Amino acid sequence: MLKKQSVINAQQNSQNAAESARTSSPPSTPSTSWYLVHTKPRQEDTALINLEQQGYMCYLPKLQIERIRRHKAKVVIEPMFPRYLFIQ
């Protein structure tokens, strides 16, 4: 039962993924080029901070997911695409 609720909550939260992004969403103009950056495992936030300090515009979409750990449900915020972020 709890597992079904987790799936439902994850689906609902995926609809709000753009709202949970750390930076603004990428513009839809064709004149700008976006690149995909492959990061070290679980180092997306560190890479995001370092790249923003260097003057790059970055986008890291995140999701709120309900995980079950030790028989308890816990809401965590995770990247939508683990090990990847977008950079302009």
Side-chain angles (χ1 to χ4, degrees), residues 11 13 32 47 63 84:
Q11 290 172 349
N13 290 334
T32 59
L63 294 173
Y84 293 97

Side-chain angles (χ1 to χ4, degrees):
M1 181 74 165
L2 190 58
K3 193 171 188 176
K4 288 181 183 179
Q5 289 175 341
S6 297
V7 172
I8 292 170
N9 288 339
Q11 290 172 349
Q12 291 171 348
N13 290 334
S14 67
Q15 295 171 355
N16 298 327
E19 295 173 13
S20 65
R22 182 159 186 242
T23 58
S24 62
S25 61
S28 60
T29 59
S31 63
T32 59
S33 297
W34 284 87
Y35 300 94
L36 188 65
V37 177
H38 188 255
T39 65
K40 291 182 178 180
R42 300 193 179 268
Q43 296 295 314
E44 299 92 355
D45 291 321
T46 304
L48 178 72
I49 292 168
N50 288 332
L51 289 167
E52 285 179 339
Q53 288 177 351
Q54 295 176 34
Y56 292 99
M57 185 162 60
C58 301
Y59 177 66
L60 179 61
K62 294 186 178 184
L63 294 173
Q64 278 187 327
I65 301 174
E66 190 172 299
R67 297 279 183 190
I68 299 173
R69 298 213 171 122
R70 297 184 182 183
H71 304 288
K72 293 182 183 178
K74 183 178 180 182
V75 177
V76 295
I77 299 174
E78 294 182 354
M80 184 184 291
F81 307 107
R83 297 187 71 179
Y84 293 97
L85 61 95
F86 300 92
I87 181 173
Q88 185 177 23

